[in-house]
Amino acid sequence: EYDGASFAGWQFQPGQRTVQGVLADALQLICRHEIVLRGAGRTDSGVHAWGQRASFYTDSGLPPQKFIRGVTGIVKRHVAVVAAEERPLDFGACHDARGKVYAYRLLMRDGRSPLHDGRAWQIRRPLDLSLLAAELATLPATADWSAYRAGDCGSPNPTKTLFEASVRREGPDVISLVFRGSGFLKQMVRILAGTAVEVATGRMPPGSMVRIRDTRDRIQAGPTAPPEGLYLEEVLYDPTPG
């Protein structure tokens, strides 16, 4: 897991502190050889993760527990390895993934929150939570999601399956918009969240999100929600045999 505010995203970038970069550096110290670390997916600068997955090859012979203690001890702050296991040689954190779960966290109050600064998008306008939940419930489908992707998204295939879109209560003033899907386009969850807020605050009429999706036109969708509210919660894989 990691605090995205402390990194310029997951993906390695020369001269920038990235999650992939600091993890690979730590692993190389432990394993004493060069490490090629591949994540299950990229997260942008400012985006957090509870459950990112990554894979690498080593012939060091060290037990998995060594990587949990060792990497976390070297990095010390902002990122931690919470689990490690040995997998078959043909396993890859990215190409074996079957889906992902993201949560977008909203703080619904006028006053600031020291505990949620940098970890939620603060909405000061009233949200109709029943309308929000109903609007999200219309979204699950296999569809072209071009209307909900960044202009510089390089994915050759905008068709993804969204299995779930729902509202989860996190506390008196906090909710999460939960999205579970086969895959996501660049900034797709943030644009979905921004558009859902437009509907829930009355700036767009009910039914707008599916209508916008069917236009495949990004201009029709709402704003891109800020990165600090987004969390990669889980990467989905087929059950391990046995």
Side-chain angles (χ1 to χ4, degrees):
E1 68 183 62
Y2 47 86
D3 174 4
S6 304
F7 298 97
W10 163 267
Q11 189 76 7
F12 177 78
Q13 302 175 58
Q16 299 286 329
R17 186 173 189 254
T18 67
V19 183
Q20 185 182 37
V22 300
L23 287 177
D25 288 347
L27 287 167
Q28 286 172 171
L29 286 174
I30 295 168
C31 297
R32 301 181 184 275
H33 64 76
E34 185 177 357
I35 292 294
V36 177
L37 183 71
R38 293 186 171 88
R42 301 181 184 185
T43 53
D44 292 336
S45 177
V47 175
H48 315 292
W50 294 115
Q52 174 70 283
R53 299 288 189 98
S55 57
F56 66 97
Y57 172 80
T58 179
D59 58 7
S60 66
L62 295 169
Q65 192 68 23
K66 177 69 174 180
F67 300 112
I68 300 175
R69 296 194 301 267
V71 173
T72 303
I74 291 169
V75 179
K76 289 186 169 55
R77 297 187 65 194
H78 306 132
V79 61
V81 176
V82 297
E85 63 184 52
E86 190 171 352
R87 300 302 300 268
L89 283 173
D90 61 354
F91 174 83
C94 183
H95 71 71
D96 281 305
R98 296 294 177 262
K100 295 183 178 72
V101 180
Y102 283 95
Y104 194 91
R105 186 168 290 181
L106 301 175
L107 173 65
M108 305 176 297
R109 74 184 195 200
D110 190 55
R112 64 182 293 268
S113 168
L115 294 179
H116 289 97
D117 279 352
R119 288 172 172 78
W121 180 20
Q122 186 168 6
I123 305 296
R124 292 183 167 88
R125 306 187 305 274
L127 287 174
D128 185 329
L129 296 186
S130 296
L131 178 58
L132 178 60
E135 187 73 8
L136 291 177
T138 66
L139 290 175
T142 299
D144 183 327
W145 296 89
S146 294
Y148 294 101
R149 69 170 172 175
D152 62 347
C153 176
S155 174
N157 182 13
T159 298
K160 308 293 179 185
T161 300
L162 188 64
F163 302 116
E164 175 189 356
S166 61
V167 177
R168 183 177 69 207
R169 174 70 71 171
E170 304 284 1
D173 300 315
V174 181
I175 61 169
S176 284
L177 313 184
V178 180
F179 300 93
R180 182 171 60 93
S182 63
F184 294 87
L185 302 166
K186 185 176 182 180
Q187 297 183 355
M188 177 175 162
V189 174
R190 291 169 59 191
I191 299 169
L192 286 169
T195 309
V197 167
E198 294 290 278
V199 174
T201 56
R203 293 188 173 185
M204 287 184 177
S208 290
M209 295 190 74
V210 168
R211 179 190 61 77
I212 290 168
R213 182 189 67 200
D214 293 344
T215 69
R216 304 180 185 178
D217 181 6
R218 171 64 186 93
I219 295 176
Q220 301 295 318
T224 303
E228 61 264 24
L230 182 58
Y231 295 76
L232 173 57
E233 289 203 333
E234 187 179 0
V235 182
L236 306 174
Y237 295 94
D238 289 336
T240 303

